[in-house]
Amino acid sequence: MDTRTPTVNDVNYYRDILANRGLFTSDQTLLTNPATASEVRWNSRSPLGWKRKFAAAMVKMGQLEVLTGNTGEIRAICRVINS
């Protein structure tokens, strides 16, 4: 989600936010909260640390049970359960 390295998964996304070049308003909003702003700063300075955090998050995501068939639903409006 950055213009310098759009095909590489790296910390430039966070560096762009710090330079007020976030792609979306929601990206820049990360700087308005002290906790998320701290994470943005840390991620921008620590490529190896960020890669480790990202890898751990992907492992966690891979362990989620996907609901299929009658046990899940595709929502017409994401924040509202279909009726």
Side-chain angles (χ1 to χ4, degrees), residues 26-64:
S26 57
D27 298 331
Q28 287 305 135
T29 302
L30 292 170
L31 296 179
T32 63
N33 177 288
T36 54
S38 174
E39 287 293 315
V40 169
R41 285 190 297 277
W42 187 89
N43 289 336
S44 74
R45 292 189 306 260
S46 182
L48 183 58
W50 177 81
K51 284 182 182 183
R52 287 181 178 147
K53 285 175 28 176
F54 183 82
M58 289 296 102
V59 169
K60 270 181 138 177
M61 291 288 289
Q63 294 170 344
L64 292 175

